[in-house]
């Protein structure tokens, strides 16, 4: 319920302009306008929020301050005596992470005949996949093609995507949809069985397949069932805190820690797949996040310590429409599908100030500009936002559309007495996605032999900005590929070489040589919402 007078006054203006705004087609920005906008307002361009790494494979490159602190931190096992001869789990393929990418990888590794195990610091399905709402892209309609999909994603990512990765993403997309469908994902369909597809920001064709506005939950439900039905072991509430190598420098397992008891276990594996997801819970630049509780960039830290290079770790995605009001759901995702269905972004004066389906980085920067220099934001007790005029959806598509197409969004706001069919909602960018991550080749292997990566922990698939729906797609395409490649590789040799953690000592030595003295230990595992209270800090992960 909106109670503050400034919001109520502004809503009157939004209502008065609604019919005109609904038919208005705000022009798209030119390339020059976008470049200037991004450079001035996008958080990725705020140089004071980045640090240059002085240690490790990306030495000399900049990353966000919060990530630099974790990449150049102490190992959790620094003062521990780890016995690598006592093996607790012995598998062919060890998958670290129980989200969509990890589950897809495990299913395909299992198909490949590998003895596979998933280890996850929370539970299988506690992942950003579960939080994804709007859909998954695939060019599988007669008016579309993977080539068209490639061009949209390549342009949207500022022509920085690794071509061989993006090629895989778009060419294997139709098969990914078929695979999910065969496993039991209930995609939205018309009465004759045709998949319903919509536009997303920066798409030239309607290729977003969805399960209403809980597409990720529907996909995760299906993948989780498949993993469990196959009897693939899942060790939950257990974090990987360091990778283990063999004497030749190849990945050969992980040191695991029980999140409750802190007991240490050793997993030996012929190949390892990192599928640990994103970093929203690091709250870069103080932004709220749409991410799940465990999104703390662990995979990047683990990989960095064994010498795997990162790619584009300086670029993050701020989803343009995070909840700005009410406070209880601050930062939660308001799916881009709301704009795909016709809602426009409107400022405090009721003006539709931008095209609703610009790419995400441009949309986020445009909202930040509207609320900062232009002074056209709507003030709240927590900050500021602009309106997303949801009643326009039914004006355009008819009554009942909101309940049918975005029921979860309707319910989320209804809990706070806001009826999105009748009232607009207040939004502001929220930290949503890690564009960068670990550099891989097309088969999913990182720079370290036998170490594979899939999902949000990968960098380079999307370049420097990702289009809506290409993340649910990449977890499937690259998850499956990592599972296939890792099981095939594991089948090429009988025995894992002698295990070692010498790289941890070597990294520590590098830190000392670089003059880095820090109390920080990493990976971080869970966010610390301790508000500076040292009592909380004692139990912090
Ligand atoms: O790909 C995404 O991040 C996505 C589909 C988000 C959304 O707006 O729903």
């Amino acid at each position: 319920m909106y109670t503050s007078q400034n919001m109520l006054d502004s809503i009157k203006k939004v209502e008065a302009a609604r019919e005109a705004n609904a038919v208005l087609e705000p022009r798209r920005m030119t390339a020059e306008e976008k470049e200037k906008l991004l450079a001035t307002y996008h958080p990725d361009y705020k140089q004071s929020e980045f640090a240059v790494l002085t240690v490790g494979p990306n030495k000399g490159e900049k990353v966000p301050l919060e990530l630099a602190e974790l990449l150049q931190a102490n190992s959790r096992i620094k003062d521990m005596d780890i016995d690598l001869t006592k093996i607790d789990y012995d598998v062919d393929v060890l998958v670290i992470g129980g989200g969509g990418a990890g589950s897809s990888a495990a299913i395909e590794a299992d198909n490949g005949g590998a003895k596979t195990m998933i280890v996850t610091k929370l539970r299988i399905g506690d992942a950003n996949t579960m939080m994804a709402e709007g859909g998954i892209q695939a060019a599988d309609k007669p008016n579309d093609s993977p080539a068209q999909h490639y061009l949209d994603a390549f342009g949207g990512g500022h022509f920085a995507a690794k071509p061989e990765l993006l090629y895989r993403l778009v060419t294997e997309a139709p098969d990914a949809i078929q695979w999910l469908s065969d496993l039991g994902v209930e995609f939205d369909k018309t009465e004759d069985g045709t998949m319903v597809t919509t536009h997303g920001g920066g798409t030239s064709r309607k290729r977003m397949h969805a399960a209403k506005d809980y597409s990720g939950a529907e996909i995760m439900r299906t993948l989780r069932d498949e993993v469990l039905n196959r009897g693939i072991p899942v060790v939950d509430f257990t974090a990987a805190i360091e990778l283990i190598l063999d004497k030749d420098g190849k990945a050969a397992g992980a040191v695991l820690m029980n999140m409750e008891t802190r007991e240490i276990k050793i997993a030996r594996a012929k190949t390892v797949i990192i599928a640990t997801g994103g970093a929203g819970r690091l709250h870069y630049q103080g932004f709220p996040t749409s991410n799940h509780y465990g999104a703390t960039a662990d995979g990047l830290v683990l990989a960095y310590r064994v010498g795997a290079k990162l790619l584009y770790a300086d670029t993050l995605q701020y989803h343009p429409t995070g909840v700005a009001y009410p406070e209880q759901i601050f930062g939660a995702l308001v799916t881009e599908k709301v704009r795909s269905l016709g809602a426009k972004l409107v400022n405090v004066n009721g003006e539709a100030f931008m095209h609703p389906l610009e790419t995400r980085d441009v949309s986020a920067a445009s909202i930040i500009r509207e609320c900062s220099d232009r002074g056209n934001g709507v003030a709240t007790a927590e900050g500021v936002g602009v309106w997303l005029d949801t009643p326009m959806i039914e004006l355009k598509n008819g009554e009942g559309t909101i309940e049918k197409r975005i029921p979860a969004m309707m319910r989320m706001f209804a809990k706070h007495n806001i009826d999105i069919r009748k009232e607009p909602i207040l939004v502001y960018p929220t930290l949503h996605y890690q564009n960068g991550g670990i550099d891989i080749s097309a088969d999913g292997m990182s720079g370290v032999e036998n170490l594979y990566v899939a999902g949000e922990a990968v960098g380079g698939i999307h370049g420097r900005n990702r289009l809506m729906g290409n993340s649910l797609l990449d977890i499937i395409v690259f998850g499956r590929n990592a599972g296939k490649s890792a099981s095939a590789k594991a089948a090429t040799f009988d025995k894992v070489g002698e295990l070692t953690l010498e790289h941890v000592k070597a990294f520590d030595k590098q830190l000392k040589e670089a003059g880095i003295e820090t109390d920080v230990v990493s990976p971080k595992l869970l966010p610390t919402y301790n508000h500076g209270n040292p009592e909380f800090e004692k139990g912090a992960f």
Side-chain angles (χ1 to χ4, degrees):
M1 197 183 336
Y2 299 109
T3 49
S4 76
Q5 198 52 51
N6 72 314
M7 284 190 193
L8 293 171
D9 291 346
S10 176
I11 287 176
K12 283 207 182 96
K13 292 180 191 164
V14 173
E15 283 170 349
R18 182 166 295 143
E19 284 202 15
N21 278 339
V23 291
L24 190 81
E25 190 59 29
R27 76 169 176 86
R28 299 246 185 201
M29 286 178 223
T30 64
E32 291 73 30
E33 283 170 332
K34 287 184 199 174
E35 245 169 64
K36 199 164 162 223
L37 176 75
L38 289 172
T40 317
Y41 297 99
H42 194 279
D44 277 0
Y45 293 75
K46 209 169 172 184
Q47 295 309 320
S48 59
E49 295 289 341
F50 293 83
V52 174
L53 294 168
T54 52
V55 160
N58 289 77
K59 186 173 165 178
E61 293 177 25
K62 72 179 172 82
V63 298
L65 294 173
E66 298 84 348
L67 182 61
E69 190 176 62
L70 297 177
L71 290 174
Q72 301 185 142
N74 298 303
S75 168
R76 287 179 173 273
I77 63 166
K78 190 174 170 186
D79 299 318
M80 287 185 196
D81 222 355
I82 305 275
D83 182 0
L84 291 177
T85 62
K86 192 183 150 293
I87 308 296
D88 298 286
Y89 305 102
D90 211 356
V91 296
D92 295 328
V93 178
L94 174 68
V95 180
I96 304 174
S103 300
S104 303
I107 292 166
E108 289 294 4
D110 186 59
N111 280 340
K115 185 178 173 196
T116 305
M117 181 177 95
I118 295 177
V119 59
T120 170
K121 67 182 174 184
L122 294 169
R123 299 161 304 178
I124 182 168
D126 287 332
N128 282 347
T129 301
M130 192 62 116
M131 321 284 283
E133 296 175 357
I136 170 168
Q137 286 203 45
D140 57 3
K141 289 276 173 82
N143 70 337
D144 202 358
S145 68
Q148 200 66 43
H149 189 175
Y150 186 102
L151 291 176
D152 289 348
F154 201 48
H158 300 278
F159 308 98
K162 278 179 86 166
E164 64 275 30
L165 301 187
L166 186 53
Y167 177 83
R168 260 210 121 124
L169 183 81
V170 300
T171 53
E172 295 177 20
D175 185 52
I177 298 289
Q178 190 60 53
W179 187 69
L180 289 172
S181 219
D182 291 346
L183 286 178
V185 171
E186 297 276 1
F187 287 111
D188 296 341
K189 299 191 186 84
T190 56
E191 274 177 13
D192 69 358
T194 308
M195 295 260 191
V196 176
T197 48
T198 50
H199 270 301
T203 60
S204 61
R205 298 287 186 278
K206 291 183 176 174
R207 67 171 77 92
M208 201 74 52
H209 303 62
K212 304 203 183 291
D213 57 348
Y214 38 77
S215 312
E218 171 61 7
I219 289 172
M220 193 66 242
R221 172 193 72 78
T222 310
L223 294 174
R224 180 171 52 196
D225 281 355
E226 184 65 18
V227 167
L228 299 179
N229 288 342
R230 282 167 180 251
I232 297 171
V234 180
V235 183
D236 58 14
F237 294 113
T238 300
I241 57 169
E242 214 61 77
L243 293 176
I244 300 172
L245 299 179
D246 71 9
K247 292 279 185 201
D248 297 326
K250 298 178 186 168
V255 179
L256 311 178
M257 184 184 81
N258 182 296
M259 294 289 281
E260 222 173 335
T261 62
R262 303 204 179 199
E263 190 184 358
I264 297 293
K265 300 265 186 189
I266 301 301
R268 178 168 61 191
K270 290 182 176 170
T271 55
V272 177
I273 301 174
I274 289 182
T276 49
R281 292 284 163 174
L282 298 185
H283 294 289
Y284 294 130
Q285 302 191 30
F287 272 81
T289 186
S290 58
N291 283 188
H292 87 110
Y293 193 59
T296 53
D298 337 17
L300 272 55
V301 172
L302 297 177
Y304 201 66
R305 280 215 190 107
V306 293
K309 217 171 176 331
L310 308 180
L311 184 62
Y312 304 146
D314 59 330
T315 148
L316 282 307
Q317 179 162 88
Y318 298 83
H319 194 292
T321 58
V323 175
Y325 181 91
E327 180 184 17
Q328 294 90 328
I329 49 172
F330 192 63
L333 181 63
V334 173
T335 174
E336 193 165 318
K337 192 170 174 184
V338 173
R339 282 174 284 142
S340 307
L341 290 172
K344 294 209 173 85
L345 289 157
V346 175
N347 68 19
V348 69
N349 303 315
E351 295 153 352
F353 60 92
M354 57 170 284
H355 191 286
L357 288 177
E358 293 283 10
T359 54
R360 283 190 178 163
D361 51 354
V362 170
S363 302
S366 174
I367 293 170
I368 293 171
R369 174 175 65 184
E370 203 64 18
C371 293
S372 56
D373 287 3
R374 288 189 175 169
N376 287 334
V378 181
T380 70
E382 293 77 43
V384 69
V386 294
W387 297 112
L388 184 54
D389 197 12
T390 43
M392 266 185 204
I393 294 175
E394 304 218 328
L395 211 57
K396 192 173 158 198
N397 304 288
E399 232 173 85
T401 306
I402 288 183
E403 181 153 26
K404 187 161 176 227
R405 304 290 298 277
I406 47 172
M409 199 55 47
M410 188 173 122
R411 255 173 234 129
M412 177 167 82
F413 280 93
K415 279 187 191 153
H416 303 281
N417 295 321
I418 293 170
D419 184 346
I420 70 171
R421 295 169 300 187
K422 301 198 174 79
E423 299 162 288
I425 56 184
L426 205 62
V427 295
Y428 192 77
T430 187
L431 182 53
H432 182 61
Y433 187 77
Q434 173 177 265
N435 294 319
I438 303 158
D439 194 6
I440 58 165
S441 49
D443 66 352
M445 205 195 283
S446 70
V448 172
E449 181 111 16
N450 295 348
L451 179 62
Y452 295 82
V453 192
E456 198 172 339
V458 174
I461 300 171
H462 311 282
R464 294 191 155 269
N465 177 59
R466 175 180 65 77
L467 300 189
M468 171 189 184
N470 275 348
S471 173
L472 279 179
L473 176 60
D474 95 43
I475 60 167
I476 304 301
V477 168
F478 287 91
R480 293 182 70 194
N481 278 315
K484 288 178 195 170
S485 304
S487 59
K489 186 74 195 298
T492 61
F493 59 101
D494 287 334
K495 263 180 77 113
V496 179
E498 193 186 333
L499 304 185
T500 175
L501 285 165
E502 279 307 308
H503 53 281
V504 179
K505 285 191 193 138
F507 195 85
D508 189 48
K509 189 161 167 269
Q510 282 182 54
L511 289 178
K512 284 206 179 72
E513 284 167 2
I516 296 174
E517 275 184 38
T518 171
D519 291 337
V520 178
V521 289
S522 65
K524 190 169 166 64
L525 306 184
L526 293 177
T528 32
Y529 295 120
N530 62 17
H531 303 289
N533 183 338
E535 284 305 306
F536 283 95
E537 193 60 56
K538 280 184 198 158
F541 278 96

